[in-house]
Amino acid sequence: MTTYTAPVVDMEFIFQDILDLYQYKNLPGFQDTSPDIVSAILREGAKVTEEVFHPLNQSGDAEGCQWQNGEVTTPQGFKQAYKTYVDGGWNGLTADPEYGGQGMPYVLGLAINEMLVSANHGLAAYPGLTQGAIEALQAHASDVLKQTYLPKLISGEWSGTMNLTEPQCGTDLNLMRTRATKSTDGSYRLTGTKIFISSGEHDITDNIIHLVIAKTEGGPDNLKGVSLFLVPKFLPNGAGAPGERNGVRCGSIEHKMGIHGNSTCEMIYEDAVGYLVGHEFKGMRAMFTMMNAARLGVSVQGICHSEASYQNAAIYARERLQGRSVSGVKNQDQAADPIIVHPDVRRMLMTSRAFNEGARALALWIALQVDLAEKLPDEKARQDAHDLLDLLTPVIKAFFTDKGYEYTNTNMQIFGGHGYVVETGMEQYVRDCRITQIYEGANGIHGLDLVGRKLPANGGRAAQLFLSTLQSFIETHRNNAAMAEFIGPLGQAMDHLQQATLWLMENAAKSPDHAAASSMEYLSLMAHTAMAYMWNRMALAALNGMDSGKGNQKFYRNKLITARFYMARMLPDILSHLERLKSGADCMMALDAEDF
Amino acid sequence: MTTYTAPVVDMEFIFQDILDLYQYKNLPGFQDTSPDIVSAILREGAKVTEEVFHPLNQSGDAEGCQWQNGEVTTPQGFKQAYKTYVDGGWNGLTADPEYGGQGMPYVLGLAINEMLVSANHGLAAYPGLTQGAIEALQAHASDVLKQTYLPKLISGEWSGTMNLTEPQCGTDLNLMRTRATKSTDGSYRLTGTKIFISSGEHDITDNIIHLVIAKTEGGPDNLKGVSLFLVPKFLPNGAGAPGERNGVRCGSIEHKMGIHGNSTCEMIYEDAVGYLVGHEFKGMRAMFTMMNAARLGVSVQGICHSEASYQNAAIYARERLQGRSVSGVKNQDQAADPIIVHPDVRRMLMTSRAFNEGARALALWIALQVDLAEKLPDEKARQDAHDLLDLLTPVIKAFFTDKGYEYTNTNMQIFGGHGYVVETGMEQYVRDCRITQIYEGANGIHGLDLVGRKLPANGGRAAQLFLSTLQSFIETHRNNAAMAEFIGPLGQAMDHLQQATLWLMENAAKSPDHAAASSMEYLSLMAHTAMAYMWNRMALAALNGMDSGKGNQKFYRNKLITARFYMARMLPDILSHLERLKSGADCMMALDAEDF
């Protein structure tokens, strides 16, 4: 049986001491973000995730979803837990107050999202997909669509989905076949098959609102010809309640490695009524509104499994007696010491811990840019926030989910053979986490997105901003002797990243294969540099906290210890990433395809 | 539906061109090892694994083992497949001819073992455990026990198990509680509970012979007080057939992440009749005979899943059309190019390929030392073989299973969302592979075994032999210009390993925590050095093959390409391993246990 405790104190520290969140009180949505209110929200979020979501995590995995005649039954307790969640107003936390939301900052929503997925990934994915639908409609839909659908989606009465993938096309949406034909009444009729649709069908809400990408007649047969449509499961009647059943049904659900509690559906559209969201042929723009938010959300999911499995591994490591400390017996009155005395067990725990805390800070810093890009009064400042967000979203989507999976595995490893047994719950974290490397763009795509689009965009403006932000931090604190042990490694990481950038600029021109071949190495270098920056900011805050003599001194001391671990044991990866990057594409393109 | 093709040509190359196996024709067991006979055995092995074992791999996973009233039913087809395997004489391939075995070299057995596990890990584990029992009995049992049990185990009529773990003790066998009491007839009565017993109960053979570690009365209550016992499920009657049921039963089977086709049993011993194997209180010595062989076997299992998943990923990457090559359209008459055109897909495939081929060569080189340590006429030469075997077994157990798991995951990644769906079979490889990092000693233990025991043993004799072997290779080929691109990186790896050794020598004395903290980094450095050495030997053989103008020229060319990939893209890991190692234990021991 696993346990979960939401990292409220760490989040409070990040909001207060790292993001300085309360400086933005003049921005819309930030008026209510006092430390007290944010703490209260975090503590209430902790309660619902620890007490309502988490107890259903293992049972939801064991039971899974059942499909019969197009209907999906979710695991026992899911419907009631979801009701508790929406009754608590959680579904509309960050949504537009005009349609019933609470309009709180996005960054706070992402913190709550971490708790939800850590507690129960399968269950969290039902409201999780709704968030993307809300954001897409808020940004692109007509007022009529907004008025009809947003209040129900925001209250959580109805849920949402996102339909891109088809059997023949995942990454390459040019190949999409789903067609939308315009009716005389201005609506459309959609026909086609979508697969891997998370929460596509279930018994948790009265209606399900599908956002579907399709091609319309007369448009180009590629990405430029796609539009976004809203297709409800039940067409709302005059009173706005679910009415006539629409021509969309769930053909089957997938048997998956993990997230068994969530339904992954094949959705069949047969002359289904749909409404255009935004403009014709602008489907990808609208879809990217959903996808960018979803990608930030998925990047955090990598943290979730590493965090939840870390907590359980730490408990096990303190309790399991096995062997003796190499530096002398620690547990005189027992036949063995707890395994947490062994340096290699601590290496595994510290690695996950340093990742979780560093990644959480980095994710929330990037999430704050979502708010700032929209709400800052100064245009240049909004552009800066947007640039950082665009640049770093693919970086953390791939890096956090790859590393999160790796460390979820090491946390399972701490249980030895017991970790391989279903009942301890550790292998479920591994199976559930595995999807995060795949969905919202398989991780390799994010490497390409980074080096092919985000890095060269606007003459490299975003990367320059990122590096100058770090450089100015270094310059500000260069004379702080206590920071030297952190600033040194950060400078080294920046140097490696700059060498890599130079290499890319020099070699991408020779062959585009070089950039693609080294894209994941480059992504890792940027991720480590960003992580080193966040650990610097956290170390600084901890040093300041210690100087003040106030607050949780043990917390500050432990932050410094973990910061040192990151520099000593994790950041050195940059050495091999740079070396590999510089070897280019030749060694991987030389083999003939038929010889693999 | 997955496919599997045994890597016969690669194995032939390793036996002929790397190990020069046929130089040992004068040694016992090697008389029949002509290239023709070895090829015939490999090709027959390929047949049984591809045609009999592999077709049951996915169905065995889906069906799993069923436990009812102490009886275990294996998945459909397993019993018949096992019969085909033993009828083909495979079970006794390397066993003592005096008891019905074929006495072939151990190294050849390990090659066949790779095929078996690649084809069907769950099924292969039934005869797999028998091999360890045969080896322990051959080495330690009395003639009476040998005559009664070895012929049946070698023919495969009966199977064997290995019983160490108990609920309260896995790694730390000092804590073992199972007791053996001597009877008046010289046999013992065993009482206790063992867990995680692979193939502990099943319906595949008429009898199951358990090798069980237990403590006897009057001995010390730690490792020095344990002895090894043979406990048959059915006591043989006068005719040597299964007779009276013994006091051992299967209390339950585990629900596991993977290897569902294999039964992992709780075995309850209640006054069970057992026979001492070897001497009282020498149980660990006897058990290590089984464990060392098992560890070599498990190290190869890391290759198995990486190889099998690689083969399927390569097929998928050639067939799946998605996106366009960054260097220009490759597939003019289709809407998209196969994903194998993308450098990042090739990066993943090449990484697995370079690991599989390098690790296979290294594993077989080490396996050859098993034969040489026993059979070489010269005592010093036998000692050398023994030293290399002892030193490198923990290295490859941990490194091959950690990397094998990592690359099995990347092969699954190539399938995108389809890899997460059970039906493609890719996620099963991941789940099955995961156990290899855990069983036969969780991988961290092997790091400790390396730096704590194997490295300092006999004044560091084994490590010196390993390094001098590599050094003499470098000196021999220093003037071969074509080898420069491979010898350079090998020299760099050796230099890093030597720096690490020096660091350990200087710092372990200051605190034993330093050595333990850096043990896995050290292990990785030694593994990469050994892999670089094998890739050097393979590159040399490929260059010689190309010079000769004979043989499979494409095969040689592809070996060189893959060797280059290893040097450029995988070996650079040594940079970060050394940097991490040098940071020592302080950063991981600083946090108080209760603060994790």
Side-chain angles (χ1 to χ4, degrees), chain A residues 31-159:
Chain A
Q31 295 91 341
D32 293 333
T33 54
S34 69
D36 284 353
I37 288 177
V38 166
S39 284
I41 292 173
L42 292 175
R43 277 163 214 284
E44 285 304 310
K47 224 165 126 176
V48 72
T49 51
E50 293 168 6
E51 295 172 13
V52 180
F53 271 49
H54 185 65
L56 300 172
N57 191 40
Q58 286 180 270
S59 61
D61 176 66
E63 207 180 319
C65 289
Q66 310 300 326
W67 179 94
Q68 205 169 21
N69 300 325
E71 307 281 316
V72 172
T73 311
T74 56
Q76 244 177 340
F78 271 35
K79 192 169 178 167
Q80 182 55 45
Y82 178 80
K83 190 173 179 311
T84 306
Y85 162 89
V86 297
D87 287 352
W90 294 106
N91 206 54
L93 185 66
T94 62
D96 191 342
E98 199 182 328
Y99 301 99
Q102 294 164 60
M104 295 295 281
Y106 178 86
V107 63
L108 185 59
L110 200 66
I112 298 295
N113 200 41
E114 186 200 316
M115 298 182 190
L116 292 166
V117 175
S118 298
N120 191 329
H121 190 164
L123 174 54
Y126 294 104
L129 270 290
T130 306
Q131 295 307 318
I134 291 172
E135 282 156 31
L137 294 180
Q138 284 179 173
H140 303 286
S142 67
D143 284 344
V144 175
L145 284 182
K146 282 184 186 173
Q147 279 151 18
T148 311
Y149 293 95
L150 274 179
K152 304 272 194 185
L153 287 168
I154 288 171
S155 72
E157 198 175 332
W158 296 354
S159 63

Side-chain angles (χ1 to χ4, degrees), chain B residues 200-415:
Chain B
E201 177 59 40
H202 56 75
D203 56 2
I204 283 180
T205 58
D206 296 340
N207 204 359
I208 302 172
I209 309 306
H210 304 289
L211 289 183
V212 186
I213 284 281
K215 286 173 178 165
T216 50
E217 274 166 23
D221 190 19
N222 58 36
L223 264 186
K224 289 175 187 153
V226 305
S227 308
L228 181 65
F229 298 91
L230 183 158
V231 183
K233 176 179 172 185
F234 294 102
L235 295 164
N237 63 19
E244 192 189 341
R245 179 72 195 244
N246 200 357
V248 49
R249 62 188 170 83
C250 173
S252 64
I253 59 173
E254 304 291 350
H255 306 107
K256 307 186 301 285
M257 183 185 198
I259 51 166
H260 294 162
N262 192 254
S263 58
T264 303
C265 305
E266 179 197 45
M267 299 304 299
I268 300 169
Y269 294 86
E270 290 164 323
D271 225 24
V273 175
Y275 308 102
L276 187 66
V277 177
H279 300 286
E280 199 180 5
F281 306 140
K282 298 289 180 206
M284 286 316 294
R285 217 183 119 221
M287 212 64 187
F288 266 109
T289 303
M290 294 177 77
M291 274 172 23
N292 282 337
R295 284 170 176 186
L296 260 182
V298 171
S299 70
V300 170
Q301 295 180 357
I303 310 174
C304 295
H305 294 286
S306 176
E307 170 70 36
S309 60
Y310 164 83
Q311 291 184 12
N312 287 282
I315 293 168
Y316 187 79
R318 279 193 297 265
E319 290 176 354
R320 174 77 172 172
L321 304 181
Q322 206 77 183
R324 288 296 191 188
S325 165
V326 286
S327 60
V329 170
K330 298 288 181 289
N331 208 358
Q332 287 288 2
D333 50 350
Q334 299 267 8
D337 290 334
I339 61 172
I340 204 163
V341 303
H342 303 306
D344 194 64
V345 170
R346 281 172 169 259
R347 174 186 64 81
M348 295 191 269
L349 287 173
M350 285 301 294
T351 303
S352 175
R353 178 189 182 95
F355 166 73
N356 299 340
E357 295 182 6
R360 178 176 299 124
L362 179 54
L364 293 177
W365 180 56
I366 296 170
L368 178 62
Q369 310 309 315
V370 175
D371 293 303
L372 301 182
E374 193 190 329
K375 295 172 180 170
L376 281 178
D378 178 60
E379 194 186 327
K380 172 67 171 61
R382 285 202 305 276
Q383 179 192 289
D384 283 356
H386 213 285
D387 280 351
L388 285 176
L389 176 64
D390 269 7
L391 179 73
L392 295 173
T393 297
V395 172
I396 66 168
K397 194 288 176 180
F399 189 77
F400 286 3
T401 58
D402 280 349
K403 293 295 176 188
Y405 181 70
E406 185 180 335
Y407 305 143
T408 303
N409 261 297
T410 29
N411 290 327
M412 172 182 156
Q413 185 74 9
I414 291 170
F415 280 70

